[in-house]
Amino acid sequence: MSDDSRRRVVQRGLWFDEFESDVVYVHRPGRTVTEADNVLFTTLTMNTQALHLDAAWAETQPFGERLVNSMFTLSTVVGSSVAQLTQGTIVANLGLSDVRFPHPLLHGDTLYSESTVVEKRLSSSRPGEGVVTLEHTGRNQHGDVVVVARRAVLVRVEGESG
């Protein structure tokens, strides 16, 4: 039987006013990417690129092995930020820009991610909400940057909408 008199804390993202531009938001735990993750994501999204699916062919290519689907890499880095930054406070994703993949992610690599605030402003058309532009960075276990992307999100101002 639970004690209903105890204070309850619900995990949530940050309200608009809580986002700080001089902070690096480190998202943990990391995610070790398996061959199964890559093949499943690649086939679920109907991406028939042999670089993700055909080990024999990929061995003849410049990296010498299959690469993790870059859309999986991007999705995982964005996803890892949700619990800390936008869970329950986001209204909508507005867009991604400046996406780049400077180093491949390989089967067995562990993906670590972090985010910084590039810009934030109150919405001029949606009272009680603000636009936050985040830069997400993903690195492998060696510290090599495998993805960088900017993402604009519409976020609630605490107590003003819901």
Side-chain angles (χ1 to χ4, degrees):
M1 195 170 193
S2 70
D3 179 356
D4 290 337
S5 65
R6 291 180 289 177
R7 184 173 74 93
R8 299 204 182 279
V9 176
V10 177
Q11 182 176 336
R12 65 160 172 87
L14 302 177
W15 301 109
F16 175 82
D17 296 332
E18 294 176 305
F19 280 94
E20 298 178 48
S21 60
D22 59 346
V23 170
V24 176
Y25 297 96
V26 178
H27 314 302
R28 293 298 183 265
R31 173 73 157 77
T32 301
V33 180
T34 67
E35 176 184 11
D37 295 327
N38 189 42
V39 171
L40 180 61
F41 183 88
T42 297
T43 55
L44 282 174
T45 58
M46 299 179 65
N47 181 337
T48 59
Q49 176 52 253
L51 196 54
H52 307 309
L53 298 173
D54 187 334
W57 181 82
E59 285 177 5
T60 69
Q61 300 308 300
F63 291 105
E65 62 185 296
R66 286 175 291 165
L67 305 181
V68 172
N69 187 316
S70 57
M71 294 298 101
F72 177 89
T73 305
L74 175 62
S75 296
T76 303
V77 166
V78 170
S80 71
S81 75
V82 168
Q84 188 176 15
L85 300 182
T86 60
Q87 181 69 46
T89 57
I90 193 172
V91 177
N93 272 316
L94 300 177
L96 289 163
S97 64
D98 303 321
V99 179
R100 57 191 190 281
F101 303 97
H103 191 278
L105 192 67
L106 305 173
H107 297 156
D109 281 350
T110 301
L111 181 59
Y112 294 99
S113 61
E114 62 191 41
S115 303
T116 57
V117 175
V118 175
E119 177 185 15
K120 74 179 213 178
R121 64 175 176 78
L122 288 170
S123 173
S124 57
S125 61
R126 297 182 60 98
E129 298 169 0
V131 177
V132 179
T133 302
L134 300 164
E135 184 167 271
H136 301 293
T137 302
R139 291 182 174 81
N140 66 15
Q141 69 276 12
H142 306 295
D144 301 317
V145 175
V146 297
V147 64
V148 178
R150 289 197 176 191
R151 178 172 69 123
V153 292
L154 189 62
V155 179
R156 293 185 182 101
V157 173
E158 185 176 16
E160 293 196 27
S161 64

